[in-house]
Amino acid sequence: MSVDDRQREEKRQRRRTIVDAAETVLDEKGRDAMTMADIADEAEVSRSLLYVYFENMADIVLAVTHRGFRSMRERFEAAARQHNTGRAQIRAIGDAYVRFSREKPTLFRLVAQFESRAADPDESSERVRRCLAEADRGLQVISTAIRAGIDDGSIRQDLDPRQTAVTLWGATHGLIQLAANKGSGLEKRYNLDPGSLVNNGLDFLGRALADQDRN
């Protein structure tokens, strides 16, 4: 490895260390309470060094958000690879999204917060554009599974893969948020188990995708 290659690798590793530290502090304190000093202490670097790699706190949070989108997309891909039909892949992707929300709640919240804001790629920072691109790759995994299902007959042929992918993502996200934020109220008022609500919702979406003439 040349000196230049070694220096580039050291910079990449230092950047990863800072993002790791930010994710840890976000898990422990949340976005509103986190400070640059907290991140520097966790990463065991000086606060001034943080600004060598990132413009400000928002830039660091976006780097963690990008990690969240990448983790989500990788989970979608792994889930889809385990099944042969498009409809089965879609259900597996939905389950993977639910697990992501439970296993990585901080990353899930950052992804949700990012998606709740309108962002124009042509008027955004490089970090925002990277998040948008990674979100598009995650959506493409869903679209590809839908297209596969249309081709193999497990999903209706009258559906547009991209539009349906957005609909499924939104519906699944809504179910997860509903169960997380209002689960106890739903259980008390309507005797609805939050976990069953999400699972039954995914079942419902799967049936809505099915080609009724062949399933």
Side-chain angles (χ1 to χ4, degrees), residues 184-203:
S184 59
L186 292 171
E187 196 162 16
K188 289 178 181 178
R189 293 171 61 191
Y190 306 117
N191 196 31
L192 292 175
D193 174 65
S196 296
L197 177 69
V198 175
N199 190 62
N200 291 339
L202 293 178
D203 285 343

Side-chain angles (χ1 to χ4, degrees), residues 21-95:
E23 184 179 349
T24 298
V25 177
L26 281 166
D27 283 338
E28 295 173 352
K29 292 190 172 186
R31 173 65 179 86
D32 293 339
M34 182 173 70
T35 66
M36 295 295 272
D38 292 329
I39 298 171
D41 289 345
E42 180 66 31
E44 298 183 346
V45 301
S46 67
R47 271 185 286 179
S48 61
L49 187 62
L50 296 181
Y51 293 98
V52 173
Y53 293 93
F54 299 94
E55 294 181 9
N56 48 35
M57 174 75 78
D59 195 31
I60 295 177
V61 173
L62 279 171
V64 183
T65 303
H66 180 265
R67 174 178 287 184
F69 276 112
R70 186 179 66 239
S71 175
M72 183 180 70
R73 186 256 305 164
E74 290 172 347
R75 286 167 179 256
F76 288 179
E77 291 173 339
R81 284 195 296 268
Q82 296 175 14
H83 299 274
N84 294 324
T85 68
R87 187 177 165 196
Q89 290 173 5
I90 287 297
R91 177 52 195 257
I93 290 170
D95 289 335

Side-chain angles (χ1 to χ4, degrees), residues 114-133 136:
F114 182 90
E115 291 287 13
S116 69
R117 303 190 302 268
D120 184 345
D122 295 330
E123 299 179 3
S124 302
S125 69
E126 175 62 26
R127 194 80 65 183
V128 169
R129 288 195 293 272
R130 290 183 65 199
C131 287
L132 289 170
D136 288 345

Side-chain angles (χ1 to χ4, degrees), residues 106-172:
T106 295
L107 295 182
F108 176 79
R109 282 194 296 272
L110 289 175
V111 165
Q113 290 165 5
F114 182 90
E115 291 287 13
S116 69
R117 303 190 302 268
D120 184 345
D122 295 330
E123 299 179 3
S124 302
S125 69
E126 175 62 26
R127 194 80 65 183
V128 169
R129 288 195 293 272
R130 290 183 65 199
C131 287
L132 289 170
E134 193 62 67
D136 288 345
R137 283 190 280 271
L139 189 65
Q140 185 58 47
V141 178
I142 305 173
S143 297
T144 299
I146 293 168
R147 170 52 62 190
I150 292 172
D151 291 343
D152 66 36
S154 62
I155 291 178
R156 292 161 39 193
Q157 295 188 357
D158 62 321
L159 298 177
D160 177 86
R162 177 54 64 92
Q163 181 176 342
T164 305
V166 173
T167 300
L168 289 175
W169 192 345
T172 304

Side-chain angles (χ1 to χ4, degrees), residues 5-22:
D5 288 341
R6 187 179 303 109
Q7 290 177 340
R8 281 193 290 270
E9 179 56 33
E10 288 174 354
K11 288 180 179 179
R12 282 193 292 268
Q13 182 57 51
R14 183 60 57 82
R15 189 177 290 107
R16 283 194 295 269
T17 297
I18 294 171
V19 176
D20 287 344

Side-chain angles (χ1 to χ4, degrees), residues 199-214:
N199 190 62
N200 291 339
L202 293 178
D203 285 343
F204 176 84
L205 292 172
R207 290 192 296 271
L209 293 177
D211 186 338
Q212 298 301 324
D213 292 334
R214 304 181 67 166

